[in-house]
Amino acid sequence: MYSNAHDSDKLEMGKRRLRCLFEPHGVAVIGASPRPSLANRILNNIVSSGFDGQIAAVNPNYTNIGDVRCYSSISDVPFKVDLAVLCVRAENTLAVLEECEQTSVGAVQIVSSGFAELDSEEGRARQRQVQRWANNSTTVVIGPNTFGVINLHRPIVAVGDIRTPEIVTGGVSGVFQSGQMTAIIYPLMSRGVGVSKIATTGNEVSVTTAELIDFFAGDPQTDSIVSYCEGIKDPERFAMACTHARQQGKPIIMLRAGAHPEVRKAIKRHTATEATNTYQREIQMLQDLSVITVDSVEDLIETVIAFKASRGLRGNRVAFVSFSGGMGNVVADSILSTPALKLTSFSDRLRKRLRDVLPRFANSFNPLDLSAQSVFETGVLNSCMQVLGESGEFDVLLWGRDLPMSIEEDSQVGIALRQLAVQHPEIVAIPVSQVSGVCRGKTIDGSPPMFAGRALLQGTGISIRALGKVVGWHVSALRLGLATSTLQAPR
């Protein structure tokens, strides 16, 4: 762990400078042109995102690009540039960086490729030059080979792709070594989960995943952190950053690529990350640091949803209730296959009380099948929820439904779940749909499936894996003495 005072001071200074990336007042896109290009799309996105600061384009061949004034060089821009976006040829990058330093630019994101990821001596030499420059400069450098940064609270969208007219702001921040991973913001927002800040780090010559995690750990607009990582370049700083996030009660959910040798070769050509023989060691380190590791993008997304849906968890005992015996059996198998979760066995006393209120053809054990007929009998559902709530035999009630649709609070199920929450706040009720995806039809409009302001879990397997990750995270906090929630030890 870091103990060197100089290194700690340097890290603190870096955090202050990182604000230039996410909260700039002046932005310049260097290499912009009216022609279709990544630079042009980044410039257009900054403008269309509603950025309220000053914007300039830099290219000696133009005076204006759209409605944005264009200047011959960064030194000609008449306002203070906090963030410069470099979209120039790799061989010209160092000269442009020198100009940026001369004009006291706060941060630079190097979108250009053509560095060590080429796996050539020429590319490696260019990257060493940029790294030496960054080490000796007060200007923050993110990249090269980066896709850009996003801050939806500012707002600023300095990436080459944004596809949704409806931006949902919230507390999820991400640090990705791959630009395309920014696409996860769309399914998150379509599920009603808001996004705060996103950074893509590329080759990480200066700003690393660790520094950004540490920045997000102290960011009041971030409550959870997601990451796609191809290799940890500074393990000590990374450990300190993860500990900081854990102390702040902010989960880190990471997809660490490179489980197989063939993929590690591809990683070297993608972000010049030396991932050889480090994967297993890093996975163990992540587990020791209570970082939640997942194996797919889908699991990354669903685990974020599970955290949002599971606020106030107090234990790992799970009960499943639905109108479908088949779904109950499938979900019960998933729960029993998830070590962090416990499918609670109803006591004889509870089963007797359930038999007194349920139809004759319903069962009285967990998973609880209320039968389709109970859909039409309001008293059955309300009585069942009352009996379950009074039992004290579980911590999580999963309510199963067929499709990913919102539960209206004034519906039969909505009223029963709300009453359960009011009368027994120690129980976390989480709706989960049997299938996932966007449904369309006369009564299914494709809007985010929600209940009581929280996203629904989707899928009988992926949702249970995600819930297990969430419970496991809380349990690890207890072991480390870092508990920040009301979760009790699993029973």
Side-chain angles (χ1 to χ4, degrees):
M1 199 66 63
Y2 260 3
S3 58
N4 187 293
H6 173 72
D7 288 334
S8 296
D9 290 344
K10 184 177 179 181
L11 184 58
E12 185 59 36
M13 183 188 303
K15 284 190 288 186
R16 290 196 298 269
R17 292 178 5 230
L18 280 173
R19 293 193 184 95
C20 293
L21 279 174
F22 298 106
E23 300 172 9
H25 296 286
V27 178
V29 179
I30 303 175
S33 81
R35 298 192 308 272
S37 64
L38 197 57
N40 181 264
R41 292 174 74 178
I42 292 173
L43 181 62
N44 288 338
N45 284 335
I46 295 171
V47 173
S48 62
S49 68
F51 177 65
D52 60 2
Q54 295 176 292
I55 309 171
V58 176
N59 189 323
N61 298 316
Y62 306 97
T63 56
N64 288 280
I65 298 177
D67 294 329
V68 178
R69 180 71 186 274
C70 192
Y71 300 89
S72 295
S73 70
I74 188 71
S75 59
D76 294 327
V77 176
F79 56 82
K80 172 73 167 64
V81 176
D82 298 304
L83 173 62
V85 181
L86 271 61
C87 303
V88 299
R89 295 176 65 88
E91 56 267 31
N92 298 330
T93 298
L94 190 61
V96 176
L97 287 174
E98 296 284 2
E99 291 182 34
C100 287
E101 186 170 47
Q102 291 168 10
T103 54
S104 301
V105 170
V108 171
Q109 67 176 47
I110 304 175
V111 176
S112 316
S113 301
F115 295 87
E117 80 281 357
L118 294 179
D119 199 21
S120 68
E121 184 51 43
E122 180 184 19
R124 287 189 289 271
R126 284 198 199 109
Q127 181 149 317
R128 286 194 296 269
Q129 288 178 329
V130 172
Q131 190 152 21
R132 282 195 296 269
W133 184 91
N135 290 341
N136 295 317
S137 174
T138 58
T139 300
V140 169
V141 177
I142 190 165
N145 190 25
T146 177
F147 197 60
V149 296
I150 297 172
N151 180 359
L152 296 186
H153 289 282
R154 174 75 173 96
I156 179 169
V157 178
V159 298
D161 184 31
I162 191 73
R163 308 183 195 181
T164 177
E166 293 187 28
I167 297 298
V168 182
T169 57
V172 179
S173 290
V175 49
F176 309 127
Q177 276 194 272
S178 174
Q180 186 163 311
M181 287 296 297
T182 59
I184 76 162
I185 71 174
Y186 305 117
L188 284 175
M189 290 191 292
S190 73
R191 301 276 294 275
V193 174
V195 173
S196 180
K197 300 173 180 68
I198 301 292
T200 60
T201 59
N203 293 10
E204 296 193 358
V205 298
S206 181
V207 175
T208 62
T209 293
E211 289 180 77
L212 286 160
I213 287 175
D214 194 60
F215 179 82
F216 292 147
D219 175 31
Q221 295 174 328
T222 297
D223 58 33
S224 54
I225 302 166
V226 295
S227 178
Y228 167 80
C229 181
E230 295 189 342
I232 298 169
K233 294 194 173 182
D234 44 2
E236 289 187 355
R237 183 174 289 185
F238 182 85
M240 184 174 70
C242 293
T243 300
H244 183 198
R246 195 67 193 87
Q247 290 170 338
Q248 297 299 313
K250 299 181 181 183
I252 302 169
I253 308 155
M254 178 176 285
L255 174 55
R256 167 65 166 93
H260 301 282
E262 296 86 350
V263 178
R264 292 194 281 272
K265 293 178 183 177
I267 284 173
K268 189 174 182 180
R269 287 302 305 269
H270 181 223
T271 57
T273 302
E274 294 289 347
T276 306
N277 301 323
T278 63
Y279 178 83
Q280 292 300 335
R281 186 166 63 249
E282 288 181 11
I283 289 294
Q284 184 60 56
M285 180 178 72
L286 293 172
Q287 293 172 352
D288 293 342
L289 291 168
S290 298
V291 175
I292 297 170
T293 57
V294 296
D295 298 321
S296 70
V297 175
E298 296 85 353
D299 284 286
L300 188 72
I301 293 167
E302 204 65 30
T303 304
V304 173
I305 302 293
F307 267 104
K308 299 297 183 181
S310 306
R311 287 172 289 186
L313 268 175
R314 298 175 184 237
N316 71 338
R317 302 173 303 167
V318 182
F320 181 86
V321 185
S322 73
F323 298 125
S324 168
M327 182 182 179
N329 294 334
V330 173
V331 171
D333 265 338
S334 294
I335 294 171
L336 291 165
S337 299
T338 305
L341 302 178
K342 179 181 179 181
L343 183 72
T344 189
S345 296
F346 292 162
S347 66
D348 291 341
R349 180 177 180 276
L350 175 56
R351 292 189 61 195
K352 181 181 183 304
R353 292 195 65 195
L354 287 170
R355 285 195 296 268
D356 290 340
V357 300
L358 292 175
R360 176 177 53 84
F361 36 79
N363 70 39
S364 60
F365 49 82
N366 190 20
L368 186 59
D369 174 15
L370 302 182
S371 80
Q373 183 60 32
S374 298
V375 175
F376 308 100
E377 300 180 21
T378 303
V380 169
L381 181 57
N382 291 338
S383 298
C384 174
M385 288 297 180
Q386 182 177 352
V387 169
L388 287 170
E390 292 171 353
S391 72
E393 295 189 11
F394 57 90
D395 310 293
V396 179
L397 184 140
L398 291 179
W399 174 264
R401 58 183 296 116
D402 51 359
L403 297 173
M405 298 168 55
S406 292
I407 297 177
E408 301 299 330
E409 295 198 27
D410 59 355
S411 67
Q412 175 189 350
V413 172
I415 291 171
L417 291 178
R418 281 195 297 112
Q419 288 179 343
L420 179 71
V422 170
Q423 296 171 2
H424 301 281
E426 73 279 4
I427 296 173
V428 176
I430 307 173
V432 54
S433 64
Q434 180 171 280
V435 297
S436 58
V438 177
C439 298
R440 302 190 183 278
K442 290 183 178 179
T443 59
I444 309 170
D445 61 8
S447 59
M450 308 284 285
F451 173 68
R454 301 184 188 184
L456 273 64
L457 290 176
Q458 296 182 16
T460 56
I462 189 170
S463 64
I464 303 305
R465 286 199 303 272
L467 182 61
K469 299 282 188 181
V470 171
V471 171
W473 182 81
H474 285 287
V475 171
S476 71
L478 293 175
R479 289 199 302 266
L480 294 171
L482 296 171
T484 57
S485 75
T486 55
L487 183 77
Q488 299 169 355
R491 289 162 282 192

